Amino acid sequence: MSEAAAAPPLNLALQGGGSHGAFTWGVLDALLEDGGFAFEGISGTSAGAMNAVALAHGFAKAAQQHKDAREARQAGCALARESLTHLWEGVGALGSLLWGAPQKGHQLLGMMSQWLSPYQTNPLGINPLRSLLERVVDFDALSSACLAGQASVPKVFVCATNVRTGRGEVFSGARLSADAVMASACLPLLFKAVAIEGEHYWDGGFSGNPSLYPLIYQTQCADVLLVQINPIEHRGLPDTALEIIERMNEVTFNTSLLGELRAIDFVRRLLAEGRLDPQTYKSMRMHRIDGGSALAPFGGASKTRSDMAFVRQLFQLGRAEGERWLQRHREDVGVRHTLHLTDNP
């Protein structure tokens, strides 16, 4: 591994997608094991937000133990891998319990979510993921490290959707909390809206999946690696009710991202033409690991499956894609963009 203090900076943008976030865990594990980049900022939504705070928690913990920046970054990579493993093994343990239930129980739950709201089926707002998240991540230590501007600890940006306004809201710094992450992952038909500071929030995927603008305006780094787990394109025409709903969700949860990618491409072209001030605008170098195509064979319905065997299978897929990206594009970071935005419709 190169000297950690001299590692090139790289921002991460982590998309949400239920248990498919285990694919992103695999990608991150490959990047952390390699140790060749310094992560300045991480923007995440839903499962991407959980991955973001678990990763950053590892670096915050390392910063408490090591004063030397190089040692803190090296230790942070190892501790971040541990945090992510604890998170997803916990998800897998919970999922194995649920998926071990009789199939009729799953069918009944699906029918109830169509006709009854979570305010009727889950009035106490019970979500075992919250307890797991709070066991894995020390949010006080993480927000303190981010506010202190410790170079080895990535800034974390979590997006949730304000139910009242319909707009995305990004939580970071002192506002970064378990509530914010659970709001970012709050599916409206399964869980009650999460209340934060007098407002109520649903899944961030409706408004920013993930949100890229905090990485543009609140970090110095111009390179962003997007880990995308919702496919942009879909082969064949969905013709069953389930397939239609799945495709509608994919389109909805990619809309805001595609809009931001188009804006980034537009600014880059104007800068190249000399029509914008480079002192005011930043030309972003975008990179992507496309998990959408790798995960497409499982179907959208598998996003709710989280048994240990499936979680580990997705992890291995993600690791392979992460290693492949490192082999192909490591030298491109800081030099050129590898995601050709005009290829997106």
Side-chain angles (χ1 to χ4, degrees), residues 9 33 35 123 133 161 165 169 195 236 251 300 305:
E33 183 180 52
L133 186 66
T161 303
T165 67
E169 186 161 345
V251 171
R305 177 184 172 187

Side-chain angles (χ1 to χ4, degrees), residues 101 192 220 273:
K192 296 168 62 176
Q220 297 299 314
E273 295 168 4

Side-chain angles (χ1 to χ4, degrees), residues 66 93 163 217 286 302:
H66 302 275
V163 178
Y217 296 107
M286 295 297 302
S302 65

Side-chain angles (χ1 to χ4, degrees), residues 220-239:
Q220 297 299 314
C221 178
D223 287 88
V224 176
L225 172 59
L226 167 66
V227 184
Q228 189 169 4
I229 55 179
N230 288 298
I232 292 179
E233 296 186 359
H234 183 89
R235 294 183 179 180
L237 178 66
D239 58 4

Side-chain angles (χ1 to χ4, degrees), residues 315-333:
F315 167 79
Q316 292 298 335
L317 279 174
R319 261 198 69 95
E321 289 298 321
E323 290 169 353
R324 187 174 295 112
W325 182 84
L326 285 166
Q327 186 177 23
R328 292 179 178 177
H329 298 300
R330 178 199 309 277
E331 302 303 323
D332 293 318
V333 174

Side-chain angles (χ1 to χ4, degrees), residues 58-87:
F59 282 95
K61 187 175 178 180
Q64 293 176 333
Q65 301 172 359
H66 302 275
K67 299 304 179 185
D68 178 77
R70 182 181 63 85
E71 293 178 357
R73 191 168 291 133
Q74 288 177 334
C77 287
L79 291 172
R81 293 180 72 193
E82 288 182 11
S83 297
L84 286 162
T85 299
H86 291 159
L87 173 66

